[in-house]
Amino acid sequence: MAMKVYGDGMSACVARVLLCLHEKETEFELVPVDLFACHHKLPSFLSMNPFGQVPVLQDDDLTLFESRAITAYIAEKHKDKGTDLTRHADAKEAAIVKLWSEVESHHFNPAISAVIHQLIVVPLQGQTPDAAIVEENLEKLGKVLDVYEERLGKTKYLTGDSYTLADLHHVPYTYYFMKTSHAGLINDRPNVKAWWEDLCSRPAFLKVSPGLTVAPVTN
């Protein structure tokens, strides 16, 4: 039975999971959840994720939420299929994947998601973006990208010569960020720009990107 992913393809966090599934060449069913109608807050959905956020993955009797936990599960379950996203055969390489995945989660994502929330989500809610929040997080993001620029001057991807979860996790929010007037933070750093152009040219991304139209509130 194919895995089921509950969510909306426009959600950056759902797209993160869909990217992983495509990279692992794994069959799945996307079960639509209308975020604008708040269907993720209905009792039927809260029974799967009490925090009322997408995505949720169901695989037989297993239910998971939190996108990075889901991608880790998919990558491990299908480690011998599709793209090797964890470098599981080498403990040191696998540790580097985990390290840069933590960097994405704790340093990159808080800054970029705050910017996307203000510039895309807040206007969808009929409100005005908070310029102070945008500027504060652009500064934080710039500092993270400075680290990436140095790192990517030494390696093709964040963990070395191979594309892994550490790279994949960046893709959806970066895609939305590149639609804003602040894309120069990426484009003005040649190593980061080359990395991004590589990430967004992958076949898996080309399958997911048509669903990335607007960014609703997600986890």
Side-chain angles (χ1 to χ4, degrees):
M1 182 181 297
M3 295 180 179
K4 291 184 178 180
V5 179
Y6 292 80
D8 191 312
M10 71 178 68
S11 158
C13 295
V14 172
R16 188 178 288 136
V17 171
L18 301 185
L19 276 172
C20 184
L21 287 162
H22 284 300
E23 289 285 352
K24 300 306 290 183
E25 301 172 3
T26 301
E27 291 186 6
F28 66 92
E29 176 187 355
L30 178 60
V31 181
V33 176
D34 190 335
L35 302 176
F36 292 105
C38 293
H39 288 178
H40 54 308
K41 303 300 183 182
L42 294 175
S44 57
F45 188 87
L46 293 173
S47 68
M48 296 187 293
N49 181 357
F51 297 103
Q53 297 173 319
V54 295
V56 167
L57 178 128
Q58 285 188 335
D59 186 21
D60 294 325
D61 61 346
L62 175 68
T63 299
L64 293 176
F65 50 88
E66 297 297 334
S67 60
R68 294 172 189 79
I70 294 172
T71 59
Y73 170 73
I74 294 166
E76 175 62 25
K77 179 175 181 178
H78 299 289
K79 61 186 178 182
D80 297 319
K81 185 178 181 181
T83 306
D84 180 3
L85 295 173
T86 60
R87 309 302 296 165
H88 62 274
D90 185 296
K92 291 182 179 179
E93 289 187 19
I96 297 299
V97 174
K98 292 177 181 177
L99 184 157
W100 284 98
S101 294
E102 289 292 308
V103 171
E104 182 277 330
S105 177
H106 296 291
H107 298 279
F108 178 87
N109 190 74
I112 199 167
S113 62
V115 173
I116 296 304
H117 181 78
Q118 289 297 320
L119 297 182
I120 297 179
V121 179
V122 168
L124 287 174
Q125 297 172 334
Q127 301 174 18
T128 302
D130 187 323
I133 293 176
V134 173
E135 289 304 316
E136 176 186 356
N137 284 283
L138 285 173
E139 182 178 355
K140 292 178 181 178
L141 181 60
K143 292 178 180 178
V144 176
L145 292 175
D146 285 341
V147 174
Y148 284 22
E149 180 68 11
E150 181 178 357
R151 173 68 176 175
L152 293 166
K154 303 172 183 176
T155 60
K156 182 177 181 180
Y157 299 102
L158 287 174
T159 62
D161 294 328
S162 300
Y163 176 88
T164 68
L165 285 180
D167 304 291
L168 181 153
H169 287 166
H170 290 79
V171 173
Y173 271 117
T174 304
Y175 174 81
Y176 279 125
F177 184 80
M178 296 303 288
K179 301 292 185 182
T180 74
S181 61
H182 302 289
L185 264 70
I186 301 290
N187 291 330
D188 293 344
R189 293 170 169 84
N191 296 327
V192 175
K193 180 182 179 182
W195 171 69
W196 168 244
E197 289 175 346
D198 182 289
L199 301 190
C200 67
S201 67
R202 295 182 66 84
F205 176 74
L206 298 178
K207 293 177 180 178
V208 173
S209 60
L212 292 169
T213 52
V214 293
V217 179
T218 60
N219 71 320

